[in-house]
């Protein structure tokens, strides 16, 4: 699953990507890997994993990961191919969620493409380009559907009605994620079209160090502007985060954070936020060879969770042995959990909960 970092040029996107790509910002233990120059696999910070490591003392520890993509800065006219428009829109379409960086800091040394600091205007510039591209998608699909609807095809008529709502919303400057649709309309007709503005979004307000904790007037304007969008807003001093990642010593980094009033790097909150934005959760396997966090969609069944380890586990699923994370920690070991009768045996219908510690029994 991928989250794409988007924004106008010079708002801090690449600095943020470089912060995320330096694993020192998230933990003392785990490396980062780059697949391509602009794609990074970033570990999801999770204190539960460190606690399990402490209890089990395994040979290795494997955290959950999320892919972050640094997408080229967008300019006005991108929907018509201006700048790197087509490449930008192609890259963003391939992501599952959007991290939209907005410049909320003043600095005369860093030129803004529009000559002044106005995160709402910047947001609207990008929104409009994405909405125009989505409008193109909706109109193309409508042309096909209308012909079928005219013949009396009931399903086509339903689809036409849903697409007309989307078209009207986009023409009014409303992103697809904020357009009122029934659950059936959204799932049957809208989700398959992969509209860019239907992707979940987090607005990352890039502030200076003094506003890292409380935010500033620009941030308040952003919060007000997106309140109806069902979107997250995260305040991050990207330049300061970059300074933190330069420090070699973990303790030094913690002291730096405390000095500016933060309990952890903002980048860690952003990675966890991206993970939640993608509607993902974690379950654990814990043994002397390896303690590992596995990524699954929220709502996954036990066989689906097993399939993340290996497809054979899902095909031949018999049962799952499940320990609640809090029980594992309070009893201190798997053996003591079993003695206390706190290990459960679950079947194919079990919906995995975030933090479950699991073993799978299977037969192929």
């Amino acid at each position: 699953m991928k989250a794409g970092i988007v924004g106008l040029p010079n708002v801090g996107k690449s600095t943020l990507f470089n912060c995320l790509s330096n694993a020192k910002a998230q933990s003392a233990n785990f490396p980062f890997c780059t697949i391509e120059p602009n794609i990074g696999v970033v570990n999801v910070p999770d204190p539960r994993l460190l606690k399990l490591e402490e209890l089990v003392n395994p040979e290795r520890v494997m955290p959950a990961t999320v892919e972050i993509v640094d997408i080229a800065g967008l300019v006005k006219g991108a929907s018509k191919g201006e700048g790197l428009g087509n490449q930008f829109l192609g890259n963003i379409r391939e992501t599952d969620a959007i991290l939209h960086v907005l410049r909320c800091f003043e600095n005369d040394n860093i030129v803004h493409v529009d000559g002044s600091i106005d995160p709402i205007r910047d947001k609207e510039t990008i929104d409009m380009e994405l909405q125009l591209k989505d409008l193109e998608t909706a109109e193309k699909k409508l042309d096909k559907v209308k012909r079928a609807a005219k013949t009396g095809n009931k399903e086509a008529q339903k689809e036409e009605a849903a697409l007309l709502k989307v078209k009207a919303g986009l023409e009014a400057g409303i992103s697809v994620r904020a357009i009122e649709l029934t659950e059936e309309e959204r799932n049957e007709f809208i989700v398959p079209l992969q509209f860019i503005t239907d992707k979940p979004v987090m607005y990352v307000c890039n502030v200076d160090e003094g506003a890292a904790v409380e935010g500033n007037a620009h941030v308040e304007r952003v919060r007000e502007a997106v309140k109806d969008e069902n979107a997250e807003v995260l305040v991050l001093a990207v330049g300061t985060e970059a300074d933190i990642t330069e420090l070699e010593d973990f303790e030094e980094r913690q002291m730096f954070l405390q000095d500016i009033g933060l309990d952890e790097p903002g980048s860690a909150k952003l990675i966890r936020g991206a993970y939640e934005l993608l509607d993902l959760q974690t379950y654990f396997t814990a043994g002397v060879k390896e303690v590992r966090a596995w990524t699954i969609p929220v709502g996954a069944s036990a066989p689906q969770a097993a399939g993340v380890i290996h497809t054979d586990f899902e095909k031949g699923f018999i049962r799952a042995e499940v320990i609640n994370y809090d029980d594992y920690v309070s009893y201190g070991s798997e053996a003591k959990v079993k003695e206390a009768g706190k290990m459960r045996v679950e079947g194919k219908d079990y919906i995995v909960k975030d933090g479950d510690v699991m073993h799978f029994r299977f037969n192929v």
Side-chain angles (χ1 to χ4, degrees):
M1 301 288 271
K2 291 182 187 173
I5 303 175
V6 307
L8 293 176
N10 290 349
V11 296
K13 295 187 318 306
S14 293
T15 308
L16 174 59
F17 178 79
N18 291 337
C19 277
L20 298 177
S21 71
N22 186 330
K24 291 185 295 188
Q26 301 130 41
S27 85
N29 296 345
F30 308 123
F32 161 87
C33 96
T34 303
I35 304 171
E36 291 173 24
N38 69 333
I39 301 179
V41 178
V42 183
N43 298 307
V44 179
D46 194 331
R48 297 174 301 182
L49 194 65
L50 301 177
K51 186 66 187 172
L52 288 171
E53 179 185 14
E54 190 185 299
L55 293 172
V56 178
N57 194 24
E59 289 175 20
R60 66 174 185 168
V61 178
M62 298 291 288
T65 59
V66 63
E67 271 188 30
I68 304 287
V69 187
D70 182 18
I71 293 170
L74 175 143
V75 294
K76 279 178 189 164
S79 58
K80 301 284 181 266
E82 290 294 323
L84 290 168
N86 292 327
Q87 181 189 329
F88 171 97
L89 293 159
N91 287 345
I92 198 171
R93 201 179 286 284
E94 288 170 12
T95 65
D96 303 289
I98 297 170
L99 306 174
H100 186 159
V101 182
L102 295 166
R103 179 170 168 177
C104 295
F105 66 90
E106 310 279 345
N107 185 334
D108 294 338
N109 295 321
I110 302 173
V111 178
H112 189 289
V113 286
D114 289 326
S116 61
I117 308 306
D118 185 346
I120 307 306
R121 176 201 60 212
D122 296 354
K123 173 190 174 309
E124 286 169 354
T125 296
I126 287 197
D127 281 353
M128 186 170 72
E129 295 302 330
L130 300 184
Q131 287 160 5
L132 285 168
K133 201 66 187 172
D134 278 351
L135 186 57
E136 199 181 289
T137 303
E139 286 173 339
K140 274 184 188 167
K141 186 67 176 173
L142 256 175
D143 284 345
K144 290 179 184 172
V145 170
K146 276 180 175 171
R147 290 195 287 274
K150 278 179 185 168
T151 66
N153 182 312
K154 291 278 190 284
E155 201 64 13
Q157 287 169 351
K158 280 192 206 171
E159 186 169 8
E160 182 185 25
L163 287 166
L164 286 169
K165 285 185 195 176
V166 168
K167 182 174 182 282
L170 288 166
E171 285 172 340
I174 301 168
S175 291
V176 175
R177 74 181 75 84
I179 293 170
E180 279 193 34
L181 294 156
T182 66
E183 195 176 339
E184 182 192 4
E185 285 174 328
R186 194 170 282 283
N187 291 337
E188 283 196 34
F189 309 123
I190 305 309
V191 171
L193 293 176
Q194 292 186 299
F195 287 109
I196 298 171
T197 65
D198 198 28
K199 295 179 189 292
V201 64
M202 176 191 289
Y203 292 101
V204 181
C205 294
N206 184 10
V207 299
D208 54 28
E209 187 177 311
V213 179
E214 300 292 333
N216 57 24
H218 292 309
V219 174
E220 290 314 309
R221 288 182 62 219
V222 172
R223 285 195 172 119
E224 180 60 26
V226 308
K227 66 182 183 200
D228 297 327
E229 273 195 49
N230 190 25
E232 294 284 321
V233 176
L234 182 76
V235 179
L236 203 63
V238 174
T240 305
E241 295 280 331
D243 291 340
I244 293 169
T245 64
E246 291 300 313
L247 297 171
E248 291 296 324
D249 184 68
F250 188 70
E251 271 65 45
E252 274 184 53
R253 296 198 292 278
Q254 295 308 109
M255 283 169 64
F256 192 137
L257 286 166
Q258 284 164 12
D259 286 346
I260 59 174
L262 295 173
D263 53 0
E264 67 174 344
S267 52
K269 287 180 185 160
L270 185 143
I271 295 162
R272 278 202 302 275
Y275 196 70
E276 286 166 21
L277 202 61
L278 292 164
D279 211 21
L280 301 174
Q281 65 180 17
T282 300
Y283 76 87
F284 301 102
T285 50
V288 289
K289 289 276 183 200
E290 179 182 85
V291 165
R292 184 166 185 154
W294 298 91
T295 300
I296 53 169
V298 171
S301 66
Q304 287 167 332
V308 173
I309 300 176
H310 198 287
T311 51
D312 284 352
F313 282 33
E314 184 171 1
K315 285 179 197 161
F317 179 89
I318 298 169
R319 66 178 184 274
E321 294 168 358
V322 184
I323 301 171
N324 176 283
Y325 169 79
D326 290 334
D327 285 341
Y328 202 112
V329 172
S330 68
Y331 288 98
S333 73
E334 185 179 312
K336 286 179 180 171
V337 170
K338 281 180 180 172
E339 277 172 32
K342 291 288 185 179
M343 179 185 276
R344 308 188 315 278
V345 174
E346 300 286 359
K348 290 184 177 180
D349 296 334
Y350 178 66
I351 301 301
V352 179
K353 294 179 179 60
D354 186 57
D356 278 349
V357 182
M358 306 183 78
H359 284 302
F360 298 105
R361 302 294 174 197
F362 69 102
N363 183 30
V364 177

